[in-house]
């Protein structure tokens, strides 16, 4: 008992750090979004539609092969016309993964429950040596 009283701060630090290590496992994963490999599987197996939410100049500089360009500012207005079936899986892509995270929230608000962001964006797609096309 003397040990616990004398070292209460060390015990508290151990408990807090242990809970922080367990948190990702308990909440369902390490981070939001799809890895490039998981995105490829979703595209190939479930015919997911890739939506690039970058600005037109960024899209023309390079994008995922077959991606449709809908800038983030126009997503709410143009997504229902581009993807009519709301059950279709969507993979939303931007340069780094930040805008596509916001795009997922917009898509889900519109009723697209299978919308997911590519974690790390086009940067992670390139790092995985996956194909990119230029417009």
């Amino acid at each position: 008992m003397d040990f616990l009283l004398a070292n209460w701060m060390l015990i508290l630090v151990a408990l807090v750090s242990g809970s922080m290590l367990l948190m990702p496992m308990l909440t369902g994963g390490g981070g939001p979004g799809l890895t490039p490999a998981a995105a490829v599987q979703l595209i190939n197996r479930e015919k997911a539609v890739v939506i690039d939410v970058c600005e037109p100049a960024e899209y023309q500089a390079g994008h995922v092969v077959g991606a449709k360009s809908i800038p983030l500012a126009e997503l709410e207005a143009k997504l229902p016309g581009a993807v009519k079936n709301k059950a279709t899986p969507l993979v939303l892509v931007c340069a780094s993964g930040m805008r596509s995270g916001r795009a997922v929230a917009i898509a889900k608000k519109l009723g697209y429950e299978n919308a997911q962001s590519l974690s790390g964006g086009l940067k992670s797609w390139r790092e995985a040596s996956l194909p990119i096309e230029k417009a």
Side-chain angles (χ1 to χ4, degrees):
M1 189 63 156
D2 290 335
F3 176 81
L4 295 176
L5 293 174
N7 296 301
W8 67 271
M9 194 169 240
L10 291 175
I11 294 169
L12 180 65
V13 168
L15 290 173
V16 169
S17 64
S19 66
M20 290 175 71
L21 287 171
L22 289 175
M23 191 59 67
M25 185 174 65
L26 297 174
T27 58
L34 294 168
T35 63
V40 168
Q41 285 184 345
L42 196 62
I43 293 165
N44 289 338
R45 292 183 182 164
E46 298 184 36
K47 306 295 183 221
V49 176
V50 180
I51 305 290
D52 192 310
V53 296
C54 292
E55 294 301 315
E58 292 174 291
Y59 178 82
Q60 290 176 352
H63 56 271
V64 174
V65 175
K68 296 180 181 184
S69 176
I70 305 176
L72 182 61
E74 303 169 12
L75 188 65
E76 198 163 350
K78 292 187 175 180
L79 186 59
V83 182
K84 296 187 182 349
N85 184 357
K86 293 187 178 186
T88 301
L90 298 179
V91 177
L92 296 150
V93 181
C94 68
S96 65
M98 298 301 290
R99 286 176 284 184
S100 60
R102 284 183 274 160
V104 168
I106 293 169
K108 288 192 176 194
K109 185 176 87 172
L110 293 172
Y112 295 90
E113 290 302 318
N114 292 331
Q116 297 183 62
S117 171
L118 179 64
S119 182
L122 195 59
K123 182 177 180 254
S124 68
W125 188 267
R126 281 190 174 116
E127 288 171 356
S129 300
L130 293 166
I132 292 176
E133 65 183 0
K134 296 182 180 183

